[in-house]
Every structure is written in structure tokens, then in C-alpha cells.
Amino acid sequence: MIKKISFYAFLFFLTTYLSAQSPAKYWIQFTDKNNSEYSIENPDRYLSERAIEKRKMFNIPITETDLPVNQLYINNILNLDTGIVLFTKSKWFNAITVYTEDSLFSEKIQKLPFVKDWERTISMKETEHFVHKDSIYIYKIDRGEVEKKSLPRELNYGETNRQIRLNNVHWLHRMGFYGENIVLMVMDAGFHNVDTLKYFQNLRDEQRLLGVRNFVQLGVNPFKKMSHGTMVLSCIVGYMPDKYVGTAPKVSVYLAKTEDERSENKIEEDNWVAGIEWADSLGVDIVNSSLGYTKFDDSTATRKYEDLTGRVSRASIAADIAIEKGLIICNSAGNEGNKKWYYIGSPADAHNVISVGATNNKGKIAPFSSHGPTADGRVKPDACATGWNTEVVHPRGRVIPSNGTSFASPMLAGMVACLREAFPEKSNFEIIQAVRLSGSKAEYPDRDMGYGITDFLKAYNYLKYNYIDLNEANHQFIPRIKNFVVNEQTLELKINSNFKQTIYFQIEFQKSKKVLKKKIPVKMGINDIKIKLPKTKLAYDFINLKIFRDDDKFEFLLGIEK
């Protein structure tokens, strides 16, 4: 009898204990930032010097959204139970994410007058184990003197040759733009062996790996597992002479683990928000996010196509806030193109995010690449790059082909870094617009490729000669270049003339120093022009093309190669 009573007593205790333990993470939004110890007038307390300088350069105001969350409110939440752990903070949403095992937590926070809203973003099956409850993993960097190695103007790309050339970014490399002095952040699921792989040796030796944070598991080293982030990073900054070259081999990098590979829940969008706010506070120029959110383990949270407006997902809203504050964000379009979902996800649906679709290295759209448009009718994807059989570096040290818009996005992000290096004075919106206008389908976008495959030599011309906002009414004629890279000995273009006239052409070859002058009569309307070019023995050359009549003048920088 005593044994029976003891057994039932134990069973009652166990049931009570388990019911009291409800491990979960919560998003808690506060009503205000009253009595803040921070001020708009002293941003150096919460923004880096680089971030402040960028705001000044582009006249981006510092507002109340930049002020940190009220620490008094945070303390009041943490004091509700000794087991509550603070995970992330969001200045822009005035919110925090916490972990707790208290089954009565939601009832407690509802009673607090400074809590505006709350949401359980993940119900966990097991309790969370922490390496450190009060710190996020920080990569230790030796800040001693370092000698940076210059790269040649003509690289042997090895395994990445075709995927580099698809978007003509090698022409920016030939000008000496490799992403140097540009800061890029990769937000992903983990970066296995990035701290040891030889393909990232140059990155580490030159101290361009600036910092690493883990927003998912506090204190856990993000270099210990998950191959996805490693392969993504290799597309940008991987470098092994004559074997493998990323699209921006000289860019500086921050890494943020925001994706939790153990499940798919809304908490990951809030991790994403924390990561993008970290990028803003550091003064990062470009962020690559090969992440997307449509379906969750909690089926009640799963999105519908109607939600793809850029105004539903917190990640999408944060993305557009970040862009307003000066960032450029490249995000994978998604791999749902041949599945039931079909469309892009979030935050690829954000208004000014460069969502990136995937093609093979010959320009054919990948069957899995997610489609546009957004639910409110905007063109997506914004760009395309190689994401089908993309050559990437595996954490085991091998170069392998892999599929996914996850790889198209970093390919493009690295190219954008080179473009940003070429035009540091241009705003992020000008860069974004140049990328869109330089797509192979920019004139007639479609739902599969959106604006199409970005031609970065064309984008360079848009920014160099200020043709983004070209007003045709102010010109006697408008030239349209068919191909910015001339692969044969004929230069082809169209001239849209307002009347019958004679147009003058001057073609200067930079390396061979040859100069060709032509005058060609044109009729009113569209004129197809073909100009035969002199033969060259050089592997490649740059062409300065000048087209003029009276005071009406256009300039272009073209490439020619065998």
C-alpha cells in the first residue's frame, strides 16, 4: 500500500513539474521609450563611428527608432522569474525576445502597463541549454599590423569562371574593384570551418573577418556546424588563386547566425531583425540573407500569398527600415518555384530588398527559383545570378556544385560590393535602381526572372554617367546599347532620334590606344546602328564610346574581348 501511495505521489509530482515547465520564447513589444538614458543628439552611444558617418554623408536622420530599448522595462520583465533569459533586442520595434520555462509567463506580462503587445514565437519541446546566458559568441580577432596583398587586374577564376562572367562582374574586377573597403554582413544558419578553411585564409590573414555573433544559441561557436553559411560565404569572398574566386574577394565581413536549423518558427524572423539592426549599428554597407520565411512548424502562423506585401513579416518591415537607414540587402528569392507555394517569401517581398532568382551559368532560369510578383503587384525578383550548379566551397574543403537561390543571392551581393566600391558617393537607392535597370529583362520584366540577369558593366555605366533618371525630353536623340561587352568586331546600338540629323561617334580603345571616328546620318525614330571595329590582338580592352551632336553628348564604357 505504501509503495502504491509513493508511486502515485511521484507520478503527481512529475506531472505537476512537467506542466509547470513550458519552455518557449516570446516577443514582447513596449509602449514607449520614455525616460531613456539615450538621446538623438549623442548617437555615438549606440551607433558606431562608421554608421554615424554614413548617416551624415547621405543625410539620413537619426530618429527615436535608433534609440535603444528602455533598460528599466527590460529589467522588469527579467525580474518576473529568475529563469528568464534575454535573447535579442529590437530598437526599431521597441521590443525584446526572451526565453522562459514559466507556464504562467503570458499571464504575468499581460498585467504590465508598459507592454504594448506580446507573442509566443516558439513553443519548445525541450529546455534550452546555454553556454553563457549573458553573452553572445564573439570571434576573437588579432588587431596587429597586417600586410594586404593586391590582386591582379586579370584573374584566373578557376572553378568560378562561368558564374563570374554571367553578370559581367569581371569587368569591374579588371578596373580594380574587388569590394575593398566595403563591409558586408552574411546572416545565415552557421559557418562551419570558416575559421580554418584555406579558402578563407586570405580573409583571415588580412583581418577582414571583422566579427561573428550567434543570435540563436547564446555563447555557442557558430563555426562548429552547419555548412549552409560556409557555402554562401564562399560565393562572395572565397579565394584560392587559379582555383576559386568569389565575386568580392577583398570585401570585409561580419557573420551573424540568425537561422535556427532545429525548427522553423517565427522566432527566426525576430533573430533576423536583431541581425539586421546589428548590421545598421556597425555601419555595414551590404547584407546578404539567403533565408526566407513562408511556412512554420506552427501551422497557424504559416503565411499566405496575400501576405507578401512587405508589410506583414517583421523581417520584411525591418528590411525596408534598414534600407531607409542606408543599407543594401540582397535576399534569396526562394526555392519554391516548382512546388505548391511557387512564389517568393519574406523578407524577399520587402519593397527595396534586392530579391535574387537563380539561373544556371548560361542564363537559363532554374526550375526551383521562386516567382514574383508580390501580392501588391511589384516586380520580383529584382535580379538573377547563378544559383543552379553554383560552384561553392564545402566545409570539408572541397569545391562542389550546389543548387539554390541561396547561392545566387551571395553571388550578386559580392557583385554589388564591387559596384559600391566603384561609387561610394552614390546612395544605396541609386545602387539598387542601377541593379534593376541593368537586368536582361528590365524593359519587359516577367514573373519568372523579374528584371533578369544583372549586367554589372551596364550598371557601372548607369552610375558613372548618371543615366538612371534620363529625361528623354531634354535630348535630341537617345542611344540604346545592345551589349555592353562586344564579343565580335561589330558594335551594335539603337538611336532614337527626334528628327533627321547626323550623329557623331568617337571610339577610343584604352589599352591599344586606337581611335575610330564616324559620322552617321539617322532618320526620325528608331535607327539600328552597326559599326565595324578594328581587329585587336589583345585578350580584352575597354572602349570609351562618345556619341554627340552639338551640345547633346553621351558617353559609355564598353568592353571588348575575344
Side-chain angles (χ1 to χ4, degrees):
M1 184 68 178
I2 294 174
K3 286 184 178 180
K4 271 191 175 182
I5 293 172
S6 298
F7 172 76
Y8 286 120
F10 171 75
L11 192 63
F12 174 77
F13 168 78
L14 182 63
T15 304
T16 304
Y17 174 76
L18 291 175
S19 64
Q21 275 198 317
S22 301
K25 291 177 184 175
Y26 291 80
W27 167 270
I28 305 165
Q29 193 170 19
F30 300 128
T31 54
D32 57 71
K33 293 183 178 180
N34 293 345
N35 304 313
S36 175
E37 63 180 283
Y38 302 97
S39 69
I40 293 170
E41 291 74 24
N42 295 294
D44 56 324
R45 294 190 62 193
Y46 47 86
L47 293 176
S48 69
E49 182 179 350
R50 196 174 198 277
I52 294 170
E53 286 304 312
K54 185 164 71 171
R55 298 285 186 98
K56 288 179 180 177
M57 181 175 180
F58 295 108
N59 297 314
I60 300 169
I62 294 170
T63 67
E64 187 177 310
T65 59
D66 294 302
L67 300 180
V69 181
N70 191 316
Q71 188 60 45
L72 179 62
Y73 293 165
I74 296 174
N75 292 341
N76 284 336
I77 295 293
L78 298 179
N79 289 337
L80 292 175
D81 187 89
T82 56
I84 298 173
V85 178
L86 176 66
F87 258 74
T88 62
K89 296 181 280 188
S90 169
K91 299 181 292 185
W92 301 344
F93 289 93
N94 195 23
I96 60 173
T97 290
V98 298
Y99 167 83
T100 180
E101 297 168 16
D102 184 355
S103 61
L104 301 177
F105 182 72
S106 59
E107 296 177 24
K108 293 177 181 178
I109 57 176
Q110 288 181 66
K111 298 176 182 178
L112 298 175
F114 54 84
V115 172
K116 179 182 179 181
D117 198 7
W118 65 274
E119 179 182 9
R120 183 162 50 202
T121 51
I122 179 173
S123 296
M124 306 177 73
K125 296 178 181 179
E126 299 178 353
T127 57
E128 190 80 286
H129 298 285
F130 302 99
V131 176
H132 304 291
K133 288 188 178 182
D134 58 350
S135 68
I136 296 175
Y137 180 83
I138 303 292
Y139 177 59
K140 302 293 189 299
I141 302 167
D142 179 10
R143 293 299 183 189
E145 291 293 323
V146 62
E147 182 181 351
K148 293 189 177 182
K149 302 173 185 176
S150 60
L151 296 179
R153 291 293 177 93
E154 185 65 9
L155 286 169
N156 179 357
Y157 294 102
E159 301 281 358
T160 62
N161 184 56
R162 288 185 177 180
Q163 61 198 45
I164 289 277
R165 288 174 175 268
L166 178 68
N167 296 85
N168 279 337
V169 74
H170 61 297
W171 289 96
L172 298 192
H173 293 171
R174 285 167 170 170
M175 296 179 210
F177 301 121
Y178 293 108
E180 194 162 12
N181 300 319
I182 301 302
V183 179
L184 185 149
M185 180 179 288
V186 175
M187 302 202 303
D188 216 281
F191 307 92
H192 192 197
N193 288 341
V194 165
D195 56 337
T196 58
L197 278 171
K198 59 184 179 180
Y199 288 90
F200 302 108
Q201 188 70 45
N202 205 37
L203 175 72
R204 297 191 303 269
D205 286 350
E206 295 186 354
Q207 297 179 15
R208 290 183 286 110
L209 180 52
L210 303 179
V212 185
R213 292 184 71 172
N214 189 338
F215 290 94
V216 177
Q217 294 173 285
L218 302 186
V220 175
N221 185 343
F223 293 132
K224 292 301 182 184
K225 63 177 182 177
M226 294 307 297
S227 62
H228 191 267
T230 305
M231 296 190 291
V232 164
L233 182 64
S234 70
C235 295
I236 302 168
V237 78
Y239 183 70
M240 181 67 64
D242 302 329
K243 186 173 182 180
Y244 190 97
V245 182
T247 52
K250 281 291 186 179
V251 77
S252 297
V253 174
Y254 283 98
L255 304 177
K257 177 178 170 65
T258 62
E259 182 76 358
D260 191 341
E261 68 280 1
R262 299 169 298 178
S263 63
E264 191 73 6
N265 284 280
K266 289 183 74 176
I267 178 67
E268 291 170 281
E269 291 189 306
D270 299 333
N271 296 340
W272 198 97
V273 171
I276 204 71
E277 289 193 22
W278 185 43
D280 169 64
S281 69
L282 293 167
V284 165
D285 300 298
I286 300 160
V287 170
N288 181 77
S289 161
S290 291
L291 305 168
Y293 307 102
T294 55
K295 295 173 285 188
F296 300 104
D297 295 345
D298 177 2
S299 59
T300 63
T302 294
R303 300 263 155 70
K304 300 175 182 177
Y305 174 67
E306 291 73 23
D307 295 328
L308 296 180
T309 62
R311 299 288 184 258
V312 175
S313 162
R314 278 195 286 268
S316 298
I317 296 169
D320 274 329
I321 293 173
I323 294 164
E324 289 290 338
K325 294 181 184 296
L327 273 78
I328 299 170
I329 302 173
C330 296
N331 203 99
S332 53
N335 302 325
E336 302 291 326
N338 53 1
K339 298 177 184 176
K340 185 178 179 180
W341 176 263
Y342 188 76
Y343 296 102
I344 61 169
S346 300
D349 68 328
H351 286 241
N352 288 301
V353 160
I354 300 175
S355 59
V356 188
T359 69
N360 64 12
N361 58 31
K362 294 181 180 179
K364 182 180 179 181
I365 188 69
F368 54 79
S369 188
S370 288
H371 305 271
T374 60
D376 53 345
R378 287 174 288 113
V379 174
K380 293 286 179 176
D382 298 272
C384 288
T386 304
W388 187 6
N389 286 326
T390 314
E391 299 295 340
V392 300
V393 176
H394 190 273
R396 292 185 179 179
R398 304 190 311 271
V399 176
I400 62 170
S402 197
N403 296 331
T405 58
S406 283
F407 308 120
S409 184
M411 287 290 297
L412 197 100
M415 299 176 202
V416 172
C418 298
L419 191 65
R420 166 50 92 197
E421 181 193 358
F423 299 100
E425 77 285 359
K426 299 292 185 181
S427 74
N428 60 329
F429 285 103
E430 289 175 295
I431 299 285
I432 293 165
Q433 186 69 346
V435 168
R436 287 170 173 159
L437 290 175
S438 302
S440 58
K441 292 181 175 287
E443 195 169 352
Y444 301 105
D446 61 32
R447 68 180 185 179
D448 300 326
M449 297 178 71
Y451 290 97
I453 299 167
T454 309
D455 180 341
F456 276 83
L457 184 55
K458 187 175 184 178
Y460 178 91
N461 275 270
Y462 271 116
L463 295 166
K464 173 77 172 175
Y465 301 111
N466 297 312
Y467 293 152
I468 288 179
D469 298 316
L470 189 63
N471 188 342
E472 298 189 9
N474 296 333
H475 296 277
Q476 300 175 30
F477 66 93
I478 297 290
R480 302 291 183 193
I481 306 296
K482 183 177 181 180
N483 294 308
F484 279 76
V485 177
V486 182
N487 293 313
E488 298 180 3
Q489 297 305 124
T490 303
L491 171 61
E492 297 183 39
L493 66 152
K494 292 181 183 291
I495 297 286
N496 187 359
S497 179
N498 292 341
F499 50 85
K500 184 179 179 180
Q501 57 182 315
T502 298
I503 307 294
Y504 296 86
F505 296 79
Q506 182 166 310
I507 302 168
E508 303 170 356
F509 292 79
Q510 285 188 4
K511 294 175 73 174
S512 67
K513 306 300 182 184
K514 293 179 181 179
V515 178
L516 179 65
K517 295 182 179 181
K518 291 274 187 181
K519 60 178 182 178
I520 299 176
V522 297
K523 63 184 180 181
M524 182 178 177
I526 304 294
N527 296 261
D528 290 312
I529 307 294
K530 292 184 179 181
I531 300 175
K532 191 172 182 180
L533 302 176
K535 292 184 178 180
T536 177
K537 295 181 180 180
L538 299 173
Y540 76 92
D541 204 346
F542 285 97
I543 297 173
N544 293 318
L545 172 63
K546 298 176 182 178
I547 310 172
F548 53 93
R549 163 69 190 258
D550 299 331
D551 293 331
D552 219 357
K553 181 180 178 181
F554 292 89
E555 292 187 50
F556 299 95
L557 181 65
L558 310 181
I560 182 170
E561 61 185 344
K562 292 182 178 179

